[in-house]
Amino acid sequence: MESRDNVKGIAARVAVWSARHRALAIIGWLVFVVGVTALSGQAGMVEAGSGDFGNGESGRADRIVAQAGFPEQGAGEMVIVTSKSTVDDPDLEAAVAEVTAAVNGTGATEPVAAPVTSEDGRSVLLTFTVRGDPETAKDRIQPVLDAVAGVQRAHPQLYIAEAGDASGDKLIGDELDEGLNRLSMLSIPVTLGILLVAFGAIVAALLPVGLAVTAVVGAVGLLAFASHLAPAVDTTMHVMLLVGLAVGVDYCLFYIRRERDERRNGVDPHRALVIAAQTSGRSIWVSGLTVIVAMAGMFLTRDTTFVSFAVGTILVVATAVLGSLTVLPALLSALGDRVDLGKIPGLYRRRGGGGRVWGAVLRLVLKRPLVSTVVAVAALGVLAAPALDLRTKGEGVEDLSPSAPITQAFLAIQAAFPGGTGPAEVVVKAPAVTGAGWDAAVAEFKRQALATGKLHEPVTVTVNPAGDVAVISVGLSGTGSDRASEEALAALRGTVIPATLAKQPGAWVGVTGGTAGSKDFNDQLAGSMPLVFGFVLGLAFLLLLVSFRSVVVAVTGVVLNLLSVAAAYGMLVFVFQYGHFESLLDFRAADGITNWMPLFLFVILFGLSMDYHVFVVSRIREGHDRGLPTRQAVTEGITATAGVITSAAAVMVAVFALFATLPLVSTKELGVGLAAAVLLDATIVRAVLLPATMALLGERNWWLPRWLGWLPEVSHDVPAQATDARELAASSV
């Protein structure tokens, strides 16, 4: 204990304690995970309801409708019957009658409404609602789908298809849920497979996966308690799994690889553990804090989904950091050399390292740092260039897989009956929405709406039992998420409503529906994005400044991460907005990127990129603090970390790429954006641009103004030989 002062930093001191009390640390971790999971079952998960969503005018309109006491409406369904040949197809009327009888005969629906014929006379639309709770209607819709399919088989010369809320949940929701569950299950074996290649030993590969999975389980338990303050959305746990798996595996990789490298260099096992804790452990908590700061930026959006994602990801990152700094040192101390049990022939290597390829690349980069910097920036600039044309849009029918039958049905209905699949709902709250004056106002509203040419039939009016809230449904031009729909919404809000319904005494009038909700979400997001970007960039800069005591390192860290994000944006535009690789990814290009994607990708990518940056620069700073010239420190730091960065990036790329297999365009965008950005970050940015930039800057990398000399010292040096090894050794007897 006489050399206790050689152990510096929270991470190293926690590791020393965990190694001395490893049974307590390991059992304590398991008790924490199991206990939180059990208690969360008692507390229950509070899921976000319809009243928790919505922004601006459409959000207020939704809340008014929810509180107005309208009778519960069943899930709405539509069946389109279209002639493939003539306008006056004699089979059309017969097929419509058969569909009506077949649907009514199932007993699962309310009576089918009177048929509506399209303007060209070739299509007929039948509408009805499914009886019972709309939330569970998908469980009762199959007999109706079978009945409609039977009529289609009897009339092959016609196109007969069903689409709606229940069928969409059944055919799309189930496929999405199945895909998410498959992704969650595949991510673990894929990660394990990559780690087996990286470590070449079964036990060493199992440790990161086991710790990451238990961290996710514990964090999900904590989410149940947090949901009582911020309701959770149903996809939060999937995001937590993927983020938790990514950072959890990364942190363990950093820690285990450093500990193994030190032991292979002939260092005593216990001292190797302390070195790993004081270097990689310090990088872990700095990186974790930076990731948490990035995720916290989502709170500024004040959107239910983003807030839920922020809570979930912060919890899982914090839990992964806690496990990496406590139970992992205890496990490594207990295992000792047995961490290499289960060596895989051909994969296990006695020496770590970055490999010949990265070594050759680094030599070339450091030989011509200016040329390498220019080439790397130019490459990232080319990839990022399409981002200058980035546009956003709400999610709509076109975001579903174009090969799915229900997608084709939605598009057919939209083409024959504009606005039929995504009408606007005008909500009017007034002292009274009945009587002659009200009827006249509605008639004038309908006349002016149809006169715009952008608003269409059917126009329906529903009044609540109290007679003080009315909902007027009107069709919008376009698909519900394109420019035509936005123009129709603008005409409705800006011209038609002010000239008609808004003149009712004491009336508040607002528009909701898919297009209105998307527009209001976009507006709120546009207002909050500068705050989110400023918050994340500012705090990340401060964390790097304090961690490395260098203004230059902090600035270059922020700039390099922004280049990665910009390149990811550019690739998203190139693929999903310009329409490349449509057949391979099974999607249809649209006029923009999903509206929530840029902000979400920025937050996630900026946080995850800091993992690599902090880890690599810490190793470089470690060499510099030992007295090495900057260029030599860069060479040593990049070479020593290339292997673990490659392995960590491979895990992230493989897991994120699984998102591209899901049926929604938004999930494909998420997968492609995350996977591509991580790949670029681990190659062009960390292996080329970072070392080239630091080589050019030389000693200027570590510049700190004198007036910032008060910043706390954060040690990056390796502990001396006399470190608390005696105490650790005593604990292992």
Side-chain angles (χ1 to χ4, degrees):
M1 298 239 303
E2 56 194 70
S3 56
R4 178 87 178 198
D5 291 338
N6 290 325
V7 179
K8 301 177 181 179
I10 296 173
R13 295 188 184 279
V14 171
V16 168
W17 183 92
S18 296
R20 291 178 61 205
H21 308 88
R22 57 197 184 205
L24 180 60
I26 295 170
I27 295 173
W29 175 256
L30 295 176
V31 169
F32 162 72
V33 173
V34 174
V36 165
T37 303
L39 290 174
S40 67
Q42 300 296 319
M45 185 80 71
V46 178
E47 297 187 358
S50 56
D52 295 312
F53 295 96
N55 303 281
E57 179 183 301
S58 59
R60 182 180 176 186
D62 287 336
R63 288 187 287 273
I64 287 174
V65 172
Q67 298 167 6
F70 282 95
E72 186 176 60
Q73 297 292 317
E77 288 290 301
M78 301 171 288
V79 175
I80 186 172
V81 183
T82 300
S83 172
K84 297 179 180 179
S85 54
T86 63
V87 174
D88 298 319
D89 192 330
D91 289 333
L92 192 64
E93 185 175 349
V96 169
E98 290 179 33
V99 169
T100 302
V103 171
N104 287 335
T106 64
T109 72
E110 299 296 338
V112 177
V116 178
T117 304
S118 63
E119 292 182 3
D120 63 8
R122 293 183 56 184
S123 299
V124 175
L125 186 67
L126 299 169
T127 60
F128 54 91
T129 59
V130 181
R131 288 176 176 156
D133 184 356
E135 297 296 327
T136 60
K138 69 174 186 177
D139 300 326
R140 301 184 300 277
I141 196 62
Q142 191 60 53
V144 183
L145 291 169
D146 293 339
V148 173
V151 180
Q152 170 68 92
R153 288 192 296 271
H155 297 272
Q157 74 281 13
L158 301 175
Y159 175 71
I160 305 173
E162 180 179 350
D165 297 333
S167 54
D169 286 345
K170 174 70 177 176
L171 301 176
I172 299 170
D174 285 357
E175 182 182 357
L176 180 60
D177 289 342
E178 181 183 341
L180 286 170
N181 291 331
R182 182 178 66 250
L183 182 150
S184 299
M185 296 304 297
L186 280 176
S187 59
I188 295 174
V190 166
T191 300
L192 181 59
I194 294 172
L195 292 177
L196 286 172
V197 174
F199 283 119
I202 294 175
V203 172
L206 285 172
L207 273 182
V209 175
L211 190 57
V213 170
T214 54
V216 171
V217 172
V220 170
L222 293 174
L223 179 66
F225 298 102
S227 69
H228 289 265
L229 299 175
V233 300
D234 54 3
T235 53
T236 299
M237 284 185 283
H238 294 289
V239 173
M240 289 176 69
L241 173 64
L242 295 173
V243 172
L245 201 59
V247 299
V249 167
D250 275 7
Y251 296 159
C252 291
L253 267 172
F254 299 163
Y255 210 115
I256 296 173
R257 181 61 68 88
R258 184 60 186 264
E259 193 265 351
R260 290 172 102 216
D261 286 349
E262 294 298 331
R263 286 195 296 111
R264 288 168 175 174
N265 288 332
V267 176
D268 175 84
H270 305 294
R271 181 170 179 262
L273 181 62
V274 176
I275 292 175
Q278 194 158 309
T279 53
S280 294
R282 191 205 66 87
S283 298
I284 287 169
W285 72 256
V286 172
S287 173
L289 188 58
T290 309
V291 175
I292 287 172
V293 164
M295 303 306 177
M298 289 188 281
F299 286 125
L300 298 177
T301 64
R302 293 174 289 118
D303 177 78
T304 298
T305 300
F306 279 126
V307 168
S308 179
F309 285 171
V311 172
T313 51
I314 287 172
L315 287 175
V316 80
V317 171
T319 307
V321 170
L322 178 65
S324 300
L325 298 183
T326 56
V327 70
L328 182 59
L331 288 169
L332 291 175
S333 175
L335 288 170
D337 290 334
R338 287 169 294 183
V339 73
D340 287 334
L341 283 177
K343 298 182 180 68
I344 302 173
L347 294 179
Y348 182 80
R349 296 181 296 276
R350 290 296 305 171
R351 306 294 300 174
R356 296 180 180 178
V357 174
W358 289 124
V361 170
L362 183 61
R363 285 192 295 272
L364 180 62
V365 167
L366 294 181
K367 185 177 182 180
R368 298 285 188 271
L370 180 59
V371 174
S372 300
T373 300
V374 171
V375 170
V377 171
L380 292 173
V382 169
L383 293 172
L388 296 174
D389 190 33
L390 189 151
R391 297 184 295 274
T392 60
K393 66 174 193 64
E395 294 185 81
V397 176
E398 70 278 7
D399 292 315
L400 305 174
S401 171
S403 60
I406 193 169
T407 305
Q408 297 167 5
F410 269 120
L411 293 175
I413 294 171
Q414 186 65 58
F417 302 91
T421 61
E425 293 185 342
V426 181
V427 178
V428 183
K429 182 175 177 58
V433 289
T434 56
W438 167 255
D439 293 340
V442 171
E444 180 61 16
F445 167 82
K446 181 176 180 179
R447 186 190 68 78
Q448 291 197 27
L450 298 180
T452 64
K454 300 175 181 179
L455 303 166
H456 307 280
E457 293 275 17
V459 179
T460 61
V461 182
T462 307
V463 178
N464 71 331
D468 60 353
V469 176
V471 178
I472 304 173
S473 177
V474 57
L476 298 174
S477 296
T479 63
S481 61
D482 60 3
R483 196 164 299 171
S485 296
E486 292 179 359
E487 292 174 355
L489 176 65
L492 180 62
R493 282 178 165 175
T495 304
V496 178
I497 289 176
T500 57
L501 300 175
K503 293 182 177 180
Q504 287 293 104
W508 180 88
V509 185
V511 183
T512 185
T515 302
S518 176
K519 174 67 167 57
D520 294 341
F521 176 80
N522 275 344
D523 290 345
Q524 178 162 320
L525 206 59
S528 62
M529 280 188 74
L531 293 175
V532 175
F533 275 62
F535 175 83
V536 173
L537 295 177
L539 283 187
F541 172 83
L542 290 176
L543 283 170
L544 290 174
L545 177 64
V546 172
S547 178
F548 295 102
R549 288 179 56 84
S550 167
V551 173
V552 176
V553 167
V555 170
T556 54
V558 169
V559 171
L560 292 182
N561 285 342
L562 284 176
L563 285 174
S564 295
V565 173
Y569 285 175
M571 286 185 286
L572 281 182
V573 173
F574 181 77
V575 175
F576 295 99
Q577 196 170 300
Y578 294 168
H580 295 89
F581 311 111
E582 281 184 311
S583 58
L584 178 64
L585 294 174
D586 190 25
F587 75 97
R588 182 184 292 103
D591 193 37
I593 304 301
T594 304
N595 48 18
W596 55 268
M597 193 62 59
L599 186 143
F600 187 68
L601 276 181
F602 167 76
V603 170
I604 296 293
L605 290 175
F606 201 90
L608 296 181
S609 294
M610 278 299 177
D611 275 355
Y612 300 154
H613 190 78
V614 169
F615 184 62
V616 175
V617 177
S618 292
R619 198 67 182 263
I620 294 171
R621 183 60 188 259
E622 181 185 315
H624 177 268
D625 288 352
R626 294 202 320 268
L628 297 178
T630 296
R631 187 171 293 223
Q632 187 176 345
V634 169
T635 301
E636 182 181 286
I638 298 291
T639 302
T641 58
V644 68
I645 292 294
T646 301
S647 301
V651 170
M652 284 196 186
V653 170
V655 171
F656 291 148
L658 294 174
F659 267 95
T661 65
L662 297 177
L664 298 181
V665 168
S666 59
T667 57
K668 296 179 188 296
E669 291 172 352
L670 188 62
V672 171
L674 287 172
V678 169
L679 182 62
L680 288 174
D681 193 75
T683 53
I684 296 178
V685 175
R686 304 302 158 201
V688 178
L689 191 53
L690 175 63
T693 302
M694 295 193 76
L696 284 174
L697 292 171
E699 292 302 310
R700 291 186 293 273
N701 281 292
W702 318 111
W703 177 72
L704 184 74
R706 290 184 179 178
W707 58 272
L708 288 177
W710 54 269
L711 289 175
E713 292 277 357
V714 179
S715 175
H716 292 266
D717 60 337
V718 176
Q721 178 69 39
T723 298
D724 217 3
R726 297 179 186 176
E727 191 172 356
L728 287 171
S731 69
S732 63
V733 175

